[in-house]
Amino acid sequence: MMRPRVLSAAAIAAVTVVGLAVLPNGAATAGDTGLRAAARGTGVKIGTAVNMDALATDAPYAAAGAREFNTVTPENVMKWEVVEPTQGHYDWTQADKLVDVARRNGQAVRGHTLVWHSQLPSWINETDFTPAQLRDLLRRHIFAEMGHFKGRIWAWDVVNEAFNEDGTLRDTIWLRNLGPGYIADAFRWAHQADPSAILFLNDYNVEWIGPKSTAEYNLIKDLRRQGVPVQGFGMQGHLGIQYGLPGDVLENVRRFDALGVKTAFTEVDIRMILPDDQIKTQAQAEGFGLLLRACLLVRHCISYTVWGFTDKYSWVPGVFSGEGSATPMTEDYQKKPAYDTLKETFQLAS
Ligand code: G3I
């Protein structure tokens, strides 16, 4: 049975009183007007990736982050290259700052990411380690990082981007040296390191049904049969309106939900070929809403995270030349139709 989510129009009309958001669950907080207020009571956390330089230097950025979101993900500062820049020497400074700010803001933290082929410290790639040494290094890394934050991280992206578009395993340092079993090992180690954290397999271009998402579906099904604690599937949601929107996203999320794993949209941004215009911006809003509706319409989708909430710090222009405007707010924090669609969609769910 699906979570009952939709309020009647009359109930919606009765829910909001000028100056006070009287929320469906009866909670009313004066001036509580952001996305996190709209999401309250839906069972889905609304989150953002956090740029630590912006958090430290840009007061409107920090204020909006606190007001709008009840979960945060470090965009970069929990990645291996940052936390262990030289072998055996850890630097938790920035990651600790994020966790502390989140605690003060009443925000759950999504840890990102433990096992990935990118943003590895240079000493990993530059040293000729044996397979046995690499396996030991990976295990130590998982225990060290999860141990440092034990009990303070709500969910972890344990393994990130392990598959190719055709559904085969990505040729990474981990696959080459540890074999396909590295994924199961990582999840077992992660659960030992912090049994309280929800453990996710995370990837992009898996929002729709295709070879990649089906390969990950089959892997999760197989691993869970073996008792491997894969507890969540993260769909990053990096989309571009020029490629169209994934019409079968609800069917896709439902099949992971039926496996008994939690799901989440973990890095949503929807880019466009610049310049932006009203049609592109409306299509973008529809994309943000499509993914959120899919999350709200299944029982165990637990969070929806945008990969940055303002164009001011988006990764997109630096990677996709001529593209951008990918987030729900402009560079000067003006709310786009995408923001309004997210808020209205949350408000419809009870
Ligand atoms: O920290 C260095 C800085 O010291 C140096 O001066 C500067 C210029 O070289 O680079 C800085 O590192 C950059 C890092 O972000 C931190 O800002 C890297 O060059 C840059 O490549 C890196 O980009 C990040 C990217 O992952 C790397 O793949 C993006 O910010 C981040 O948004 C992006 O996020 C990924 C997710 O983790 C996984 N899913 C895909 C998503 C988008 O690629």
Side-chain angles (χ1 to χ4, degrees), residues 213-235:
S213 61
T214 298
E216 304 204 29
Y217 172 88
N218 291 333
L219 175 68
I220 291 172
K221 190 173 184 179
D222 184 37
L223 291 181
R224 286 175 62 85
R225 275 199 190 126
Q226 298 172 46
V228 176
V230 185
Q231 299 158 339
F233 182 61
M235 298 157 283

Side-chain angles (χ1 to χ4, degrees), residues 51 53 74-76 79 81 112-113 116 118-119 160-161 202 204 236 238 267 307 315 319:
N51 176 313
D53 292 338
E75 186 172 10
N76 287 293
K79 291 171 179 175
E81 70 175 357
H112 176 83
T113 179
W116 195 23
S118 183
Q119 291 182 270
N160 191 45
E161 302 176 9
N202 191 50
Y204 63 89
Q236 293 181 9
H238 293 298
E267 307 181 16
W307 204 244
W315 68 288
V319 173

Side-chain angles (χ1 to χ4, degrees), residues 269-298:
D269 49 31
I270 303 181
R271 62 185 186 272
M272 61 185 74
I273 297 169
L274 298 174
D276 63 350
D277 60 35
Q278 286 187 325
I279 296 292
K280 295 177 187 176
T281 304
Q282 192 54 40
Q284 177 188 59
E286 286 171 11
F288 275 94
L290 179 70
L291 300 189
L292 180 55
R293 283 195 300 278
C295 185
L296 287 165
L297 285 169
V298 300

